[in-house]
Amino acid sequence: MSEEKTFDLIIIGSGPGGYVAAIRGAQLGLKTAIIEKDENLGGTCLNVGCIPSKALLHSTEMYHFAGHGAEAHGIDLTNLSISIEKLMAKKSKTVDQLRGGVQHLMKANKIKVFSGLGMLAGDRKVRIKEKNDETMLTGKHIIVATGSTSIELPFLEFDGKTVVSSDQAIAFDKIPERLAVVGAGAIGLELGSVWARLGSQVDVIEFLPAIAPSFDKDVSKMAERLFKKQGLNFHLKTKVTGLKKSKGKSILTAEKDGKEIEFEADKVLVAVGRKPYTDRLGLDVVGIETDDKGRIPVDIHFKTSADGVYAIGDVIPGPMLAHKAEEEGVACVERIAGQAGHVNYKVIPNVIYTEPEIASVGQTEAMLKEAGIDFKSGKFNLAGNGRAIATDATDGFVKVTACRKTDKILGVQVIAKSGSELIASAVTHMEYGGSAEDLGRTIHAHPTLSEAMKEAALAVDGNAIHST
Ligand code: FAD
């Protein structure tokens, strides 16, 4: 059966890019439809990404504290145990609640939701295939928000059992004795931490010489030292070469300094990044060509080369982050509605939700050096912060980097408990072009970890109060 429907705005994909764009469209009076091929709305972020991983990080952090920190507070938790079934059920409950929330938002904003695979059909039409049904939509504007999927290594193909992506590593039904993680970026470190806290022996294998390589060197170094203490075994400058079976066991092979090394592993999590997802989307039908990384090229207003077709989120260039996708969704729709939507790519925060958390915004010192920009930095160690001492959060530091000439903040790096929350004030200051002095003179409540941000800003000119 086939039917045809007309909308002002059609969005393909219901991740944070797509569903937020849909809501903004409805708010601006556009008759909006959203198409999702998976069972649930919310995309990677809600179903297999940000949310389930953070739920697991939270549960396992509590378990780790119960086993390793509680005693010092006089809390006796002898016979501590964990049920992986209940842990996963708790995670699923969180995800379900938020799925319901997105459904509710669609309904409340009168957004028409279509289930099925959305395919660009030319002439501003989108064909939806759902089992034997086919629906044709016509839209004045079409936004592609089809997101991304895990990158597979050619010599280490996903089998969903031994060699897995994050999709499976957030849902193991038992704790692997030995977990090998390929890649020491955000996903590798977060999920490596989850399973290490639950008792897995975790080997993290990274080709580059540092973990969390997109952060400043001093942040990566401290993270490596702290996570080692938590049981993560790092193998840097090491290139994974394949997987073999020996006496019924899976052995991950790798190369370091020309020598072959082996890691026995029950599970191998390949976390080497994500690639744009455009399968069966019909890009060729409308004449859109992807770039060398499979991304859809867009102009500054998110327009693709096809008339009336826009793209946002993980499927276009830029950091693959949920908040980046959301902002692009809002800006793209505002442009469509004749407003001045805009994304400030210079101040997109980046966070790894380990313990402590790693967060940054703006340029790293390495980037500034390469660009020949004269800068000054101020650092404040959490060990000098009263709240950190009172709450066992003294590991880490905040660093503010500013232009030597103008004092304008150019970058902020944080490794600290709740670093994801601390970075927010730096993002705001940078959004408004603030200086290190502005941030240093801003009153922060006492006692809070956020005072470390103020102190780091003061330290830029050697004026931190609680530094020795
Ligand atoms: P997606 O969320 O990928 O959504 C795309 C949607 O489009 C999907 O639902 C897909 O099924 C649908 N779709 C695709 N093709 C079609 C089609 N043809 N028809 C219909 N539907 C289609 N980011 C953060 O900012 N913070 C984090 O803490 C974080 N943690 C993460 C942890 C993990 C384990 C992973 C994997 C990712 C994490 N991310 C995190 C990244 C984040 O999930 C993505 O950046 C974000 O989801 C991108 O949003 P999007 O809307 O562009 O695409």
Side-chain angles (χ1 to χ4, degrees), residues 13 17 36-38 43-45 49-50 54 118 146-147 314 320-323:
E36 175 54 56
K37 68 172 175 51
D38 284 354
T44 304
C45 172
C50 324
K54 265 82 257 178
T146 51
D314 280 10
M320 288 183 165
L321 294 168
H323 41 282

Side-chain angles (χ1 to χ4, degrees), residues 12 19 29 68 108 155 195 246 249 253 259-260 289 316-317 350 375 397 425-426 435 438 460:
I12 309 178
Y19 89 74
H68 297 85
F155 45 87
W195 294 105
S246 173
K249 290 184 173 156
T253 56
K259 288 189 198 115
E260 186 169 309
E289 277 182 28
I316 68 167
N350 184 23
F375 64 89
F397 61 82
S425 72
S435 66
D438 290 331
V460 169

Side-chain angles (χ1 to χ4, degrees), residues 123-347:
D123 288 337
R124 301 190 184 223
K125 289 188 192 304
V126 180
R127 176 176 294 118
I128 306 171
K129 266 204 164 161
E130 165 79 326
K131 292 177 192 147
N132 294 329
D133 274 351
E134 198 170 291
T135 308
M136 189 69 94
L137 308 186
T138 304
K140 283 190 197 136
H141 309 277
I142 299 164
I143 299 180
V144 173
T146 51
S148 63
T149 186
S150 303
I151 291 179
E152 190 171 46
L153 293 172
F155 45 87
L156 210 56
E157 282 174 18
F158 295 130
D159 61 16
K161 284 191 176 146
T162 306
V163 183
V164 302
S165 74
S166 54
D167 292 5
Q168 288 87 40
I170 54 161
F172 292 151
D173 56 5
K174 62 178 207 242
I175 301 167
E177 234 170 84
R178 288 161 179 268
L179 171 69
V181 178
V182 185
I187 295 177
L189 291 174
E190 289 182 10
L191 295 180
S193 296
V194 162
W195 294 105
R197 290 170 192 167
L198 291 170
S200 299
Q201 182 190 308
V202 178
D203 287 299
V204 183
I205 301 127
E206 168 61 56
F207 181 66
L208 295 173
I211 69 164
S214 60
F215 292 81
D216 266 358
K217 266 191 189 147
D218 46 358
V219 172
S220 298
K221 275 265 156 255
M222 179 174 274
E224 186 185 337
R225 184 168 62 74
L226 295 173
F227 301 159
K228 261 186 195 162
K229 278 204 278 181
Q230 296 170 15
L232 294 179
N233 306 306
F234 292 111
H235 308 274
L236 305 178
K237 297 190 201 160
T238 306
K239 186 171 179 253
V240 170
T241 50
L243 188 78
K244 63 182 187 189
K245 285 267 177 201
S246 173
K247 294 177 191 151
K249 290 184 173 156
S250 299
I251 312 282
L252 188 71
T253 56
E255 221 177 81
K256 183 172 181 163
D257 301 329
K259 288 189 198 115
E260 186 169 309
I261 34 179
E262 297 184 341
F263 302 93
E264 194 186 317
D266 306 303
K267 301 275 183 196
V268 178
L269 163 61
V270 179
V272 294
R274 296 180 62 80
K275 60 177 184 198
Y277 184 85
T278 54
D279 290 6
R280 294 172 293 159
L281 181 61
L283 290 182
D284 50 334
V285 176
V286 293
I288 297 176
E289 277 182 28
T290 54
D291 68 10
D292 57 336
K293 293 197 168 99
R295 304 172 298 195
I296 299 179
V298 289
D299 70 7
I300 55 162
H301 301 321
F302 310 100
K303 280 185 183 162
T304 68
S305 57
D307 211 26
V309 181
Y310 304 75
I312 56 163
D314 280 10
V315 81
I316 68 167
M320 288 183 165
L321 294 168
H323 41 282
K324 178 254 192 192
E326 289 184 25
E327 284 308 306
E328 288 179 342
V330 169
C332 176
V333 172
E334 287 180 348
R335 283 278 162 184
I336 286 171
Q339 297 189 356
H342 166 75
V343 177
N344 183 357
Y345 287 96
K346 289 189 177 150
V347 290

